[in-house]
Structures are given as C-alpha cells and as structure tokens.
Amino acid sequence: MSYCKAIESMTGETLSLHKEYHDMYYGFVIEEDNELFCRLILEINQAGLSWTTILKKQQSFRKAYHNFDIKKVAKYQEKDRLRLMNDEGIIRNRLKINAAIENAKTILLLQKEFGSFKKWIEYHHPMSKQEWTK
C-alpha cells in the first residue's frame, strides 16, 4: 500500500499509529452514529494538538467516554466531568469535555428529527467525497 509523503516520513510509534489509522479508519464510510460521534470527539480534542497525540490516546478516549455511546455521554453529570478531568489517558480540558457532553445531547435531538446523526450529516453535506476533497 502506498502512503502520502507525510506518513512515509514518519518513524517508530508515530509511523505505526498513522499507518493503522490510515489503513483502518481514514476515508472509510462510517455508518454507525456512535462511531461518527467518536470521530467528532477525537477531532474536538485534537484542536491545538497534533493528531499523533490523539491517536496515542484513542483507546483511552474510547474507554473514558463509554465507547462513545451517545445516550450515555448525553447523561453525564458533574461526577462524570470530574472523572474525565482526572483521567490522565485523555485530554483533560474542561471546555472539550463539556463540548463532548453537549454534542451528545444535540445528536440525540438530531436523531429524533432526522432518524440518525449520519442522515443529518448527509442532509447538510450533499456533496460526494470527490467534490469535498478537491
């Protein structure tokens, strides 16, 4: 398999992380709302940091956020916020934690209105992959 120049220039653990992400996740269609929520939360947490940092913490995020179960995250209370703020395996930023919880609540509303988070995205982003990657 060929990789972009950025990945080809990496070494060691960084190379392994990015190759796995590229081979298993990048560019693949995601059908399941909880997995779409996962990608949203990882992207929110990446802001201001490297993607390598997020990839290193991906499994910790999955565990900390109940496998990105939207219904569970939407019900998080202050004790959950404190638990996440004390979890060294994730990015411990109150604003990013709050964003995850509030986005889960919003996604539940979108699911009611559109049937799924995926359908909402498709409705608001009607371009093909080729069109939006130009």
Side-chain angles (χ1 to χ4, degrees):
M1 177 174 286
S2 64
Y3 295 97
C4 66
K5 289 180 183 180
I7 290 177
E8 289 177 348
S9 69
M10 296 173 184
T11 59
E13 179 188 18
T14 301
L15 175 62
S16 295
L17 286 167
H18 284 269
K19 274 187 170 183
E20 179 182 351
Y21 182 75
H22 179 275
D23 293 348
M24 304 297 291
Y25 301 102
Y26 183 76
F28 290 87
V29 174
I30 300 171
E31 299 293 340
E32 210 273 312
D33 279 1
N34 289 337
E35 242 351 89
L36 286 168
F37 179 58
C38 165
R39 296 291 149 222
L40 175 64
I41 299 313
L42 295 179
E43 292 285 347
I44 287 169
N45 280 276
Q46 188 272 328
L49 302 169
S50 74
W51 189 239
T52 301
T53 298
I54 300 306
L55 291 178
K56 286 180 182 179
K57 295 177 175 285
Q58 184 173 356
Q59 292 310 313
S60 295
F61 274 107
R62 191 169 291 283
K63 183 178 176 186
Y65 283 94
H66 290 94
N67 204 33
F68 299 104
D69 184 310
I70 297 165
K71 290 178 183 175
K72 287 183 180 180
V73 176
K75 292 179 182 176
Y76 280 6
Q77 300 294 317
E78 189 57 31
K79 66 180 171 98
D80 299 294
R81 293 176 208 276
L82 291 172
R83 174 183 56 80
L84 293 167
M85 284 296 293
N86 288 305
D87 188 332
E88 294 179 6
I90 65 169
I91 306 302
R92 297 179 291 174
N93 177 298
R94 184 168 299 280
L95 294 174
K96 292 178 181 187
I97 290 168
N98 289 340
I101 297 166
E102 292 306 314
N103 275 290
K105 292 175 185 177
T106 299
I107 289 170
L108 289 178
L109 297 174
L110 295 173
Q111 288 173 327
K112 283 182 184 175
E113 184 176 350
F114 290 87
S116 72
F117 184 34
K118 183 179 189 314
K119 287 180 183 175
W120 178 84
I121 292 170
E122 289 171 350
Y123 179 81
H124 287 88
H125 196 8
M127 293 188 293
S128 70
K129 181 178 178 183
Q130 291 74 25
E131 290 171 322
W132 61 261
T133 56
K134 285 182 182 180

